[in-house]
C-alpha cells in the first residue's frame, strides 16, 4: 500500500468528483469548436505528411559524361522543307559539332496542316568533317554499321529505303548532279522540324535557315537565291532534357512569331542561358538530369545592309552551377509530434477561453442579482 500511495502522489491528472464538476453551455460550445479545429488541423497535417516536401539546393556542377539533349519542335510557316537546313555548331562558330541526331521534317500547307500522302523527311544535320578514308562515301546516318559505305546515289537511296526514311536529294553529295530544284517552289509550303539532337556539354548554337549549307574558308554559308524571305515561325517545343512541370525547362513552348508586311530579310536570335538541373523523386533512387534555361530574344533587320544571315538562330551557354530539386518524405515521428502539439495546444487554449467565458458569465449574473448592471 505504501508503494501505491507513493505512486498516487505522482498523478499529474487527478480526477474531480462528479459532484464538484459544473457543465455549461458555453463549455460545450467551446468543446465542439475546439474539436472541429483539431480535426481539421490533423487532416491538414496528414496531407502534408503524405505529400513529399520539395527542397532546392544550388552547388557547383561537377558532373561528367552527360550529353546535352536538345528536343525541338519548330514550325516554319512560309518555307518548304527542301529549302530549310538545320545546322549545329560549337562555341567557336566555325567548326561543327559531332552530334547524334534524330530529326525529321514534315511538309505542311500554308495554313499549317500536314500534307496528305507525304512521308516525314529525315533531316541531315551538318557535322564535323570525318577523318575516314574518302573512298568510303557517307550514307548520311542510314548506314547499318561502321563499315557501310555509300559511294553513289543509288547506294544512299537503298540505305534510306531500308530505314524507311524520306530523303532530301539536294543534300546528298552523290546525288547533286542528278537532282535540280526550282527555288520558286520554296514559298508554296510550310515545314515542321521535329526531333532531337545529342551534343557534348559545351557552349554552342544551332540554327534553321533557308538554303543548302556548306563551309568556305571558315565561313558558314547558305546557298539560296532569294534575299527577302518570310521567317514566320512557331516554337511548339524546345527543351534541353526531360520536362519538369514546375521548373523552367520549356519557357519558349507555344511562342509564335509572325513576320508582318512584305517579305524581307530578317535574322531572329535566341540567346539561351542553360542551368543544369537534377530532380530526385521521393522513394526513387534514379535522379533525372535535365536543364532549365532563360532566354533573351532579338530580331535584326538585314534589309538595312546589316551584317548577318536570314534564319532562326539559337545560341546557348551552360552555367557552372547546378540546381538540385529533391523530394523528401517527412518522418512519422514528425507527424506524431505535430499531432500531439495540435491536440495539446488547441485544448489548452480552449480551456483558457472556457474559463474566461464562465467567469465573465458568473460576474454578469452577480451584478444582475444586486442590480448594479447599468
Amino acid at each position: 500500500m505504501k508503494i501505491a500511495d507513493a505512486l498516487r502522489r505522482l498523478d499529474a491528472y487527478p480526477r474531480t468528483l462528479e459532484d464538484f464538476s459544473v457543465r455549461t453551455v458555453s463549455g460545450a460550445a467551446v468543446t465542439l469548436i475546439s474539436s472541429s479545429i483539431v480535426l481539421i488541423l490533423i487532416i491538414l497535417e496528414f496531407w502534408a505528411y503524405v505529400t513529399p516536401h520539395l527542397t532546392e539546393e544550388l552547388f557547383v556542377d561537377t558532373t561528367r559524361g552527360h550529353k546535352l539533349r536538345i528536343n525541338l519542335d519548330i514550325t516554319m510557316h512560309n518555307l518548304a522543307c527542301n529549302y530549310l537546313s538545320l545546322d549545329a555548331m560549337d562555341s567557336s562558330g566555325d567548326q561543327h559539332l559531332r552530334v547524334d541526331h534524330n530529326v525529321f521534317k514534315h511538309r505542311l500547307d500554308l495554313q499549317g496542316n500536314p500534307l496528305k500522302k507525304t512521308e516525314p523527311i529525315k533531316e541531315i544535320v551538318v557535322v564535323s568533317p570525318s577523318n575516314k578514308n574518302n573512298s568510303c562515301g557517307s550514307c548520311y546516318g542510314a548506314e547499318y554499321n561502321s563499315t557501310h559505305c555509300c559511294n553513289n546515289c543509288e547506294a544512299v537511296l537503298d540505305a534510306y529505303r531500308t530505314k524507311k526514311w524520306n530523303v532530301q536529294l539536294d543534300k546528298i553529295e552523290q546525288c547533286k548532279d542528278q537532282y535540280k530544284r526550282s527555288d520558286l517552289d520554296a514559298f508554296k509550303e510550310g515545314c515542321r522540324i521535329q526531333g532531337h539532337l545529342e551534343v557534348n556539354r559545351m557552349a554552342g548554337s544551332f540554327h534553321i535557315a533557308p538554303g543548302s549549307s556548306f563551309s568556305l574558308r571558315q565561313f558558314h554559308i547558305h546557298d539560296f537565291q532569294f534575299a527577302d524571305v518570310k521567317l514566320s515561325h512557331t516554337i511548339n517545343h524546345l527543351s534541353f532534357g526531360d520536362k519538369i512541370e514546375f521548373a523552367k525547362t520549356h519557357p519558349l513552348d507555344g511562342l509564335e512569331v509572325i513576320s508582318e508586311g512584305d517579305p524581307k530579310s530578317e535574322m531572329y536570335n535566341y540567346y539561351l542561358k542553360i542551368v543544369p538541373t537534377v530532380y530526385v523523386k521521393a522513394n526513387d533512387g534514379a535522379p533525372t538530369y535535365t536543364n532549365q534555361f532563360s532566354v533573351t530574344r532579338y530580331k535584326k533587320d538585314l534589309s538595312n545592309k546589316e551584317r548577318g544571315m536570314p534564319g532562326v538562330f539559337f545560341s546557348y551557354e551552360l552555367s557552372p552551377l547546378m540546381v538540385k530539386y529533391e523530394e523528401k518524405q517527412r518522418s512519422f515521428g514528425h507527424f506524431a509530434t505535430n499531432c500531439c502539439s495540435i491536440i495539446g495546444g488547441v485544448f489548452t487554449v480552449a480551456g483558457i477561453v472556457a474559463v474566461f467565458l464562465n467567469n465573465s458569465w458568473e460576474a454578469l449574473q452577480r451584478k444582475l442579482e444586486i442590480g448594479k448592471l447599468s
Side-chain angles (χ1 to χ4, degrees), residues 18 27 40 49 52 61 72 134 176 187 200 218 267 365 374:
E18 192 72 25
I40 293 172
Y49 167 65
D61 183 13
L72 55 92
N134 292 332
K176 283 190 174 180
F187 311 110
N200 293 322
Q218 297 184 344
M267 183 178 184
Q365 282 183 326
S374 58

Side-chain angles (χ1 to χ4, degrees), residues 126-197:
V126 176
V127 297
S128 313
S130 174
N131 293 324
K132 295 180 180 178
N133 189 348
N134 292 332
S135 62
C136 181
S138 173
C139 296
Y140 298 91
E143 59 273 1
Y144 52 80
N145 58 37
S146 58
T147 60
H148 185 198
C149 300
C150 299
N151 294 324
N152 53 54
C153 186
E154 287 301 323
V156 177
L157 295 179
D158 289 340
Y160 267 70
R161 290 191 194 101
T162 303
K163 292 281 188 178
K164 296 182 179 179
W165 291 346
N166 199 359
V167 64
Q168 286 183 267
L169 292 175
D170 60 309
K171 286 195 172 184
I172 306 299
E173 190 68 31
Q174 295 91 319
C175 301
K176 283 190 174 180
D177 294 335
Q178 305 178 28
Y179 176 76
K180 300 295 182 182
R181 67 182 184 183
S182 172
D183 285 339
L184 295 176
D185 298 330
F187 311 110
K188 295 181 180 179
E189 295 180 6
C191 184
R192 182 173 184 176
I193 302 174
Q194 200 171 24
H196 72 268
L197 311 172

Side-chain angles (χ1 to χ4, degrees), residues 158-312:
D158 289 340
Y160 267 70
R161 290 191 194 101
T162 303
K163 292 281 188 178
K164 296 182 179 179
W165 291 346
N166 199 359
V167 64
Q168 286 183 267
L169 292 175
D170 60 309
K171 286 195 172 184
I172 306 299
E173 190 68 31
Q174 295 91 319
C175 301
K176 283 190 174 180
D177 294 335
Q178 305 178 28
Y179 176 76
K180 300 295 182 182
R181 67 182 184 183
S182 172
D183 285 339
L184 295 176
D185 298 330
F187 311 110
K188 295 181 180 179
E189 295 180 6
C191 184
R192 182 173 184 176
I193 302 174
Q194 200 171 24
H196 72 268
L197 311 172
E198 288 190 358
V199 301
N200 293 322
R201 294 180 66 85
M202 61 182 298
S205 66
F206 63 94
H207 62 263
I208 301 171
S212 301
S213 62
F214 60 93
S215 295
L216 179 64
R217 296 179 183 177
Q218 297 184 344
F219 290 99
H220 186 72
I221 300 173
H222 280 250
D223 181 16
F224 196 66
Q225 300 300 320
F226 294 93
D228 297 328
V229 182
K230 264 195 172 184
L231 291 175
S232 299
H233 59 279
T234 299
I235 302 176
N236 305 303
H237 178 71
L238 179 64
S239 64
F240 296 85
D242 295 332
K243 188 175 182 179
I244 302 177
E245 292 299 332
F246 62 84
K248 293 183 178 180
T249 55
H250 45 284
L252 283 176
D253 284 15
L255 177 66
E256 185 175 7
V257 179
I258 302 298
S259 180
E260 302 290 346
D262 297 330
K264 58 182 178 180
S265 185
E266 292 177 329
M267 183 178 184
Y268 293 90
N269 290 291
Y270 295 86
Y271 300 100
L272 313 177
K273 184 70 172 182
I274 299 176
V275 180
T277 303
V278 59
Y279 179 40
V280 182
K281 293 184 178 180
N283 303 322
D284 188 1
T288 300
Y289 288 93
T290 184
N291 297 277
Q292 302 180 80
F293 68 93
S294 60
V295 58
T296 302
R297 294 187 288 156
Y298 176 69
K299 182 177 74 170
K300 182 188 291 187
D301 187 356
L302 303 179
S303 59
N304 297 326
K305 296 183 180 181
E306 288 199 44
R307 187 176 181 181
M309 181 176 67
V312 182

Side-chain angles (χ1 to χ4, degrees), residues 23-40:
R23 300 184 185 276
T24 61
V25 176
S26 60
V30 171
T31 301
L32 289 175
I33 295 173
S34 60
S35 299
S36 301
I37 294 174
V38 167
L39 181 61
I40 293 172

